Amino acid sequence: MRTRLTDALYGVLATLLGVAAGHLVAALTDPASSPVLAVGSTVIDLTPTPVKEWAVQHFGTRDKPILIGSVFVGVLVLAAVAGMLTRRSRAAGSALLVLLVGLAAAAALTRPAATASDVLPALVAGVVGVVALWWLVRLTGSRDGRDRPRRPAGGATSRRAVLLTVGAMAAGAVVLGAAGRQVARARGAIKDFALPRPASPAQPLPQGLEAEYPGIAPFRTPNADFYRVDTRLTLPVIDLDTWTLTIDGDVDDEVTFTFDDLLGMDLVERDITLTCVSNDIGGPYVSATRFTGIRLTDLLDRAGVGTRADQILSTDVDGMTISTPLDLATDGRDAMIAIAMDGKPLPREHGYPARMVVPGLYGYVSACKWITRMTLTTYAEKSAYWTERGWKTDAPIKLMSRIDTPKALGKVKAGKTFIGGVAWHQHQGLAGVQVRVDGGAWRDATFGPDGGNDYWRQWYVDWDATPGQHTLAVRAIDADGTPQTAARATPFPDGATGVQSIVVTVV
Ligand SMILES: Nc1nc2c(c(=O)[nH]1)N[C@H]1C(S)=C(S)[C@@H](COP(=O)(O)O)O[C@H]1N2
Ligand SMILES: [Mo]
């Protein structure tokens, strides 16, 4: 009944059961402390910036499932080794499992906002895994006969007992894992609140081009399609009734706001386009919506900002930090702590219950999600997550344009058609967009409706497409009349530049 293969499988099975049990315990305490996820998060934090950027560019939003999958496979390979080690001695196999669990525990405990209880899921995973492994080994007996099987080896009863145990453990792993998932989802559910009428409402957003020119990104991005970029592998569980936002550091008075406090303040409503610094030319990490929130300066005024501070260091519920230049955030632009997007509470993916939004700055220096603290401090004193990884602290969004239709390497029917997309230069302004076919003259595109200076602009040009391969290029013109540079820059360290150029086939 025992071969190298079954030993490996026992190791894997015991580990799966342990990991699933740990996952459920994490769901009940802190989902981010689930063993595999904790290790995954540590891997993210330790990954050098170039590798991270490579993963974001190549895998896009699939980078997270791919990372979790890789960690999981790694764990299972070691689990199989642990199973095989039990041939030599049960202690050796167990020791490897304990080592794995130790890694997960260390990962969970070194998360920025870790508490002692974050070690619990790994502990449970370890105990369950080791007990399960011993059980399986004992049931099947060891080769050297030191562990005598409970029933005669090779007998029909023994075989059935083993199969039953294996089946029960596999089912247990599935049930525990699924239960963990459900519990985490239920605990994290958004508590709907009535959004008060904004004291400073936005104008109605005009109808976008997308109805008439299909393929162009919708003028307002539906919440479900809004791009998502963050370092998290799980969404935080935040209770609206106990959540608070504190302003501290170089202030006259440290103040703490409850969510009800925020609802009681004047709300502003603004149309803003958010962009990620990792968005490469033609990339998807840009979206636009209507944010509702409290003016950042209204909040800062309650605390009274001192004279030393030059940055706002925002901290999220798990200790992740994002720094924002104080002068830009308070220069009169519509910076806010947003509590709603597109008229609805922030989705969990986008920072529920509150996040910072600063028009014109890339997300990594402005848009802290799940925010709980704003510390007025200096760049000399404290540096945020991405600052420590070499990204610039001062990062206005660069002039950029994108072709949405036709698609790169796509097929187009010959005849009268159009080229269309979006362009953005938040807070700085956009004078035009130009398109060039096959290296010819730059032609002015027609703008879609105006959503304000902090919003992107849709555009299109008519095109009489003739059969064959064609190269299409787009560039935006800034408010001063300067065209978008063709000089290529990578997203690191403060945003990509260059002109998008795509090839399409007309048939
Ligand atoms: N707490 C937290 N806030 C965060 C991040 C993060 O990793 N953690 N990522 C930032 C980055 S890099 C960007 S581009 C924006 C993206 O916001 P979105 O996911 O809502 O589009 O959130 C910012 N806020
Ligand atoms: Mo970003």
Side-chain angles (χ1 to χ4, degrees):
M1 197 74 205
R2 283 194 78 186
T3 65
R4 219 177 277 279
L5 180 67
T6 58
D7 286 340
L9 285 178
Y10 295 156
V12 168
L13 183 58
T15 303
L16 280 176
L17 190 64
V19 165
H23 194 60
L24 178 56
V25 172
L28 292 163
T29 54
D30 174 5
S33 62
S34 181
V36 170
L37 297 177
V39 172
S41 296
T42 303
V43 171
I44 290 184
D45 293 352
L46 295 179
T47 303
T49 299
V51 179
K52 227 188 245 172
E53 279 305 287
W54 178 86
V56 169
Q57 305 309 336
H58 286 79
F59 303 136
T61 32
R62 281 170 301 145
D63 60 344
K64 286 177 191 177
I66 289 173
L67 171 72
I68 298 174
S70 312
V71 171
F72 207 62
V73 167
V75 167
L76 292 189
V77 166
L78 289 174
V81 173
M84 291 196 283
L85 277 180
T86 58
R87 296 197 141 224
R88 234 175 262 157
S89 81
R90 285 196 299 196
S94 308
L96 183 50
L97 281 194
V98 168
L99 189 75
L100 267 177
V101 164
L103 275 180
L109 280 179
T110 49
R111 306 294 311 142
T115 57
S117 67
D118 284 342
V119 78
L120 217 61
L123 262 179
V124 169
V127 170
V128 170
V130 167
V131 168
L133 188 60
W134 279 54
W135 188 299
L136 285 167
V137 169
R138 194 164 162 71
L139 203 62
T140 49
S142 67
R143 239 182 17 159
D144 61 14
R146 264 191 296 140
D147 296 310
R148 230 169 292 125
R150 290 231 225 143
R151 297 174 200 248
T157 333
S158 154
R159 181 153 303 177
R160 186 178 307 143
V162 171
L163 284 177
L164 274 177
T165 308
V166 166
M169 284 188 183
V174 171
V175 169
L176 289 173
R181 207 188 164 88
Q182 283 312 110
V183 168
R185 199 168 286 169
R187 285 188 62 224
I190 281 183
K191 186 170 156 193
D192 217 345
F193 54 86
L195 192 62
R197 264 248 301 262
S200 173
Q203 298 291 317
L205 192 74
Q207 176 69 48
L209 288 182
E210 65 272 19
E212 222 179 317
Y213 296 89
I216 298 181
F219 199 29
R220 183 184 299 179
T221 314
N223 283 356
D225 299 339
F226 206 94
Y227 87 88
R228 175 185 171 195
V229 171
D230 54 63
T231 58
R232 298 192 65 94
L233 294 175
T234 51
L235 291 169
V237 169
I238 296 177
D239 177 2
L240 204 62
D241 299 323
T242 55
W243 174 89
T244 56
L245 173 63
T246 299
I247 304 179
D248 63 6
D250 181 22
V251 290
D252 300 336
D253 300 295
E254 183 175 317
V255 280
T256 295
F257 302 88
T258 65
F259 197 76
D260 274 340
D261 293 337
L262 296 189
L263 287 180
M265 295 177 70
D266 280 351
L267 294 183
V268 297
E269 195 182 60
R270 294 292 183 267
D271 293 320
I272 296 168
T273 298
L274 226 62
T275 309
C276 180
V277 69
S278 295
N279 193 54
D280 214 337
I281 298 160
Y285 304 127
V286 52
S287 299
T289 194
R290 175 160 293 187
F291 286 101
T292 312
I294 300 87
R295 258 195 204 92
L296 191 61
T297 43
D298 284 357
L299 293 165
L300 294 178
D301 286 349
R302 296 271 183 107
V305 175
T307 51
R308 280 188 315 112
D310 61 10
Q311 75 159 327
I312 306 172
L313 188 85
S314 302
T315 307
D316 84 356
V317 65
D318 284 317
M320 163 82 188
T321 51
I322 289 191
S323 72
T324 309
L326 178 62
D327 54 346
L328 296 182
T330 55
D331 68 359
R333 67 183 78 204
D334 289 318
M336 65 170 95
I337 295 298
I339 56 171
M341 59 195 276
D342 200 8
K344 293 175 273 288
L346 293 178
R348 290 183 71 197
E349 291 80 0
H350 300 292
Y352 173 84
R355 73 172 310 167
M356 192 187 284
V357 173
V358 183
L361 301 185
Y362 285 119
Y364 81 104
V365 284
S366 67
C368 187
K369 306 191 270 191
W370 314 288
I371 193 169
T372 59
R373 186 175 295 275
M374 291 189 278
T375 304
L376 279 298
T377 178
T378 63
Y379 285 108
E381 247 169 84
K382 282 188 173 147
S383 40
Y385 185 88
W386 277 296
T387 311
E388 282 163 6
R389 286 161 179 75
W391 296 83
K392 288 267 175 67
T393 53
D394 193 352
I397 298 173
K398 295 179 182 174
L399 180 67
M400 189 50 79
S401 52
R402 184 181 79 190
I403 300 173
D404 288 340
T405 181
K407 291 265 169 267
L409 303 177
K411 278 203 170 62
V412 181
K413 268 233 302 265
K416 291 208 181 309
T417 179
F418 64 93
I419 304 164
V422 286
W424 59 89
H425 198 209
Q426 291 93 314
H427 209 65
Q428 300 157 86
L430 209 53
V433 166
Q434 295 180 325
V435 175
R436 178 164 76 171
V437 179
D438 298 327
W442 287 103
R443 274 206 293 148
D444 286 331
T446 306
F447 266 152
D450 188 357
N453 218 19
D454 295 331
Y455 214 59
W456 62 9
R457 204 81 192 250
Q458 297 169 310
W459 57 266
Y460 73 94
V461 282
D462 292 319
W463 181 36
D464 199 358
T466 54
Q469 270 206 349
H470 295 288
T471 304
L472 314 177
V474 65
R475 67 178 188 187
I477 314 288
D478 77 9
D480 303 332
T482 312
Q484 185 182 326
T485 177
R488 280 245 169 199
T490 57
F492 184 81
D494 63 355
T497 63
V499 161
Q500 187 191 11
S501 178
I502 64 168
V503 173
V504 296
T505 307
V506 178
V507 289

